Amino acid sequence: MERHTIEPRPGWQRTVEEQGLVYPLTRYPDGSLRPYWDESAYYSFTLPEVEALEEVVEELHAMCLAAAAHIVERNRFADLGITDPRVAERVAESWRRRAELPSLYARFDLVYDGTGPAKMLEYNADTPTSLVEAASPQWFWMEERFPGADQWNSLHERLVDAWKRQAPLLPPGPVHFAHSETDELGEDLMTVAYLRETAEQAGLATEALSVERIGWDRLSRRFVDEKLRFIRSCFKLYPWEWLVTDRFGKHVLSTLDNGGGSGTTCWIEPAWKMLLSNKALLAILWELHPGHPNLLPAYLDGPRELATTTGWAAKPLLGREGAGVTLHEPGDDPAVRDEPCCYQGLAPLPDFDGNRTLLGAWVVEDEAAGLGIRESAGAITDEYARFLPHVIL
Amino acid sequence: MRRLRSSTVVLGGMGVLAATITACGAEPDRRCADPVTLEELPGYRCDTGGSVDDDDDDNGSSSRGAYYYGGSVSNARVSGGSFDKKAVDTGGFGCSSSGSSGG
């Protein structure tokens, strides 16, 4: 794994916009716009490096599914902060009927510097973004810059295939695709538009709207779109914990199609993804596989020995895009935070030429599907991170 | 030789898709229907302003149609929509947060 600088292609901004990265810039707190897609550098990997990472991803994915089964069997929902018994019951049912429920994709965040084992930071299994840039502009960049080379990136093909394969699980009618209007940067909209495109390419009929515009018909007691058509299935880039706690949450639970037409609205990703996207998963993984080379120690009751060994990261159970994460050096006060957190051993992101690098390893259905690399200036990968392409040489 | 890349990536105007995904002004389809039998009726049976056809005594209460919003027609009967547009409540999602829902 090496970082190389390279001259950006002339007109790269327009190019990547045409390739689906509709918002290639990020607005900074000072109001300035800076590139999010950054092709002034790239990373190269060897094939053995990528094949080893693939194996790690598929093993971690299998371990996460086993942890989800454990949470359901041992009724450990309270550890995840899921205290509403109706929600727990629906999630458990969703897990048991998962073979009947469409489920598309997820992203592992890994710490890896080309040496030593990759370490899992978390699993974004409910609402992962940074998908478009990995699937499309990154692929076209390789075609142009390194024709004939390879890339760990079969995302597009696999997403289209996944929709085709799972089409029989979908209820009749179009699949609705919903994003949230509160994301003014447009990343959510872009991700949803791209996934809608992959569904269309799989031959599915689709409709699009925002979650804010989803209607509840009090007479038919069903979710409807803006044209009052029933929403029978909906891909939502909207976290489950909000879906079930918003004002319409009770309707989500009462009409949930949790497999086999058991309700009137089937949501994608399915409810059991709540088990994986919750940071408590990290502590449960460590409990089930203590000392595993690809895991970091993680606890729910405080930093324990991490207070004196490696230091720790305190992560709110439901945080997103690095929000609310605090980092602590060994010797810091091992105080437990007010909100429920996971306390995970500190694994500093590797430094490549002054950039802090994080690997996003994609899973489509149950298989490793590709890589997206983000760099940030600081130790936490946040909404100001930049995306850099990679190639296998 | 093993390849880890997609063999092709085709995008059919996603930028356009992204721009239209939030397009405003989506009005539900509506059609005239009998509120009791759900039979689709000719549009004039829903005309307001004109007099209700008092002389039409072929079936009393069902002589007057009402607009049925959304849904579809199958076997000349409407289904999957609603007679009462006001019965649809919105804004029940998305009020609990700001910023990105993704991660």
Side-chain angles (χ1 to χ4, degrees):
Chain A
M1 177 183 181
E2 289 176 2
R3 188 182 194 275
H4 313 266
T5 54
I6 188 171
E7 192 65 28
R9 293 166 297 174
W12 62 267
Q13 188 174 328
R14 181 160 172 200
T15 302
V16 299
E17 277 176 23
E18 286 168 0
Q19 291 161 357
L21 192 62
V22 186
Y23 302 92
L25 304 172
T26 298
R27 186 173 297 284
Y28 278 64
D30 64 4
S32 64
L33 284 168
R34 297 183 215 171
Y36 164 66
W37 167 267
D38 183 354
E39 59 172 78
S40 66
Y42 66 95
Y43 285 82
S44 66
F45 292 81
T46 64
L47 184 58
E49 279 175 331
V50 171
E51 289 185 324
L53 285 169
E54 263 192 314
E55 266 182 46
V56 168
V57 165
E58 296 195 356
E59 183 183 358
L60 286 174
H61 177 70
M63 286 160 55
C64 288
L65 294 185
H70 169 89
I71 294 166
V72 172
E73 282 160 19
R74 305 291 173 89
N75 192 18
R76 293 188 60 178
F77 291 96
D79 285 336
L80 278 60
I82 300 176
T83 50
D84 183 337
R86 291 170 309 164
V87 175
E89 187 266 320
R90 291 311 219 178
V91 173
E93 183 190 26
S94 164
W95 168 256
R96 285 190 284 265
R97 300 189 71 158
R98 66 191 178 282
E100 300 168 71
L101 290 167
S103 171
L104 212 60
Y105 76 132
R107 192 195 72 233
F108 280 105
D109 284 342
L110 302 175
V111 179
Y112 178 71
D113 64 359
T115 65
K119 300 278 189 185
M120 170 181 172
L121 285 183
E122 57 193 59
Y123 200 13
N124 296 287
D126 185 16
T127 60
T129 55
S130 87
L131 173 69
V132 182
E133 47 275 46
S136 172
Q138 173 171 244
W139 188 90
F140 285 106
W141 171 89
M142 168 191 63
E143 282 280 285
E144 213 171 302
R145 275 286 149 102
F146 297 91
D150 201 6
Q151 189 175 68
W152 185 14
N153 177 16
S154 53
L155 278 164
H156 189 81
E157 276 181 358
R158 285 179 187 269
L159 288 167
V160 174
D161 287 348
W163 285 118
K164 282 185 190 162
R165 206 168 10 248
Q166 298 190 37
L169 302 179
L170 292 166
V175 183
H176 286 76
F177 283 78
H179 70 287
S180 173
E181 291 171 20
T182 54
D183 170 34
E184 60 173 30
L185 296 173
E187 188 188 22
D188 293 0
L189 170 59
M190 185 172 76
T191 307
V192 170
Y194 173 67
L195 283 165
R196 182 186 182 197
E197 167 108 19
T198 60
E200 294 256 333
Q201 289 186 22
L204 300 179
T206 67
E207 296 289 342
L209 78 170
S210 65
V211 290
E212 286 81 1
R213 293 181 189 213
I214 291 176
W216 171 253
D217 186 333
R218 286 186 286 249
L219 296 181
S220 63
R221 305 204 61 74
R222 294 177 64 162
F223 285 112
V224 293
D225 67 14
E226 291 165 286
K227 291 190 164 185
L228 304 185
R229 290 167 301 201
F230 287 152
I231 297 178
R232 279 294 279 114
S233 59
C234 185
F235 175 89
K236 48 84 226 127
L237 195 72
Y238 194 71
W240 264 100
E241 62 268 18
W242 296 349
L243 205 64
V244 295
T245 54
D246 281 354
R247 188 163 61 83
F248 282 174
K250 57 182 184 293
H251 304 319
V252 172
L253 295 174
S254 68
T255 63
L256 183 62
D257 184 347
N258 230 346
S262 52
T264 50
T265 301
C266 168
W267 301 91
I268 308 165
E269 299 290 322
W272 65 265
K273 287 293 191 92
M274 278 178 102
L275 301 169
L276 304 189
S277 61
N278 189 299
K279 304 291 188 295
L281 174 81
L282 303 167
I284 291 170
L285 281 170
W286 185 250
E287 182 189 314
L288 297 176
H289 308 273
H292 190 285
N294 301 116
L295 296 178
L296 293 163
Y299 309 105
L300 294 174
D301 55 359
R304 297 194 194 177
E305 83 278 3
L306 306 172
T308 53
T309 55
T310 59
W312 72 99
K315 300 177 167 183
L317 295 187
L318 300 173
R320 285 187 155 71
E321 297 214 316
V325 174
T326 53
L327 304 182
H328 306 267
E329 296 294 326
D332 281 4
D333 175 15
V336 173
R337 285 173 51 174
D338 287 340
E339 61 186 321
C341 280
C342 180
Y343 301 85
Q344 186 185 43
L346 206 54
L349 296 175
D351 187 318
F352 284 86
D353 307 334
N355 303 286
R356 312 298 294 273
T357 305
L358 175 72
L359 301 195
W362 290 96
V363 172
V364 174
E365 295 185 305
D366 288 316
E367 292 179 355
L371 175 67
I373 300 174
R374 283 174 297 161
E375 281 185 355
S376 49
I380 298 176
T381 305
D382 57 16
E383 71 242 58
Y384 305 117
R386 291 165 288 106
F387 186 96
L388 282 82
H390 83 274
V391 66
I392 301 172
L393 294 175
Chain B
M1 190 176 112
R2 180 166 183 241
R3 301 292 260 175
L4 288 92
R5 48 177 279 185
S6 293
S7 53
T8 56
V9 174
V10 182
L11 283 184
M14 229 197 79
V16 181
L17 253 172
T20 56
I21 205 167
T22 48
C24 298
E27 267 299 306
D29 302 325
R30 65 175 194 181
R31 39 179 73 82
C32 190
D34 183 307
V36 177
T37 66
L38 300 181
E39 255 178 290
E40 189 176 19
L41 299 174
Y44 68 83
R45 299 283 288 273
C46 282
D47 285 347
T48 50
S51 62
V52 177
D53 187 357
D54 289 333
D55 297 333
D56 181 2
D57 54 5
D58 61 353
N59 193 7
S61 64
S62 66
S63 64
R64 176 72 193 275
Y67 282 116
Y68 187 85
Y69 296 92
S72 59
V73 182
S74 157
N75 295 328
R77 283 189 183 350
V78 293
S79 64
S82 173
F83 280 108
D84 186 358
K85 213 162 50 146
K86 292 191 294 295
V88 174
D89 181 12
T90 53
F93 290 127
C95 308
S96 59
S97 64
S98 64
S100 173
S101 308

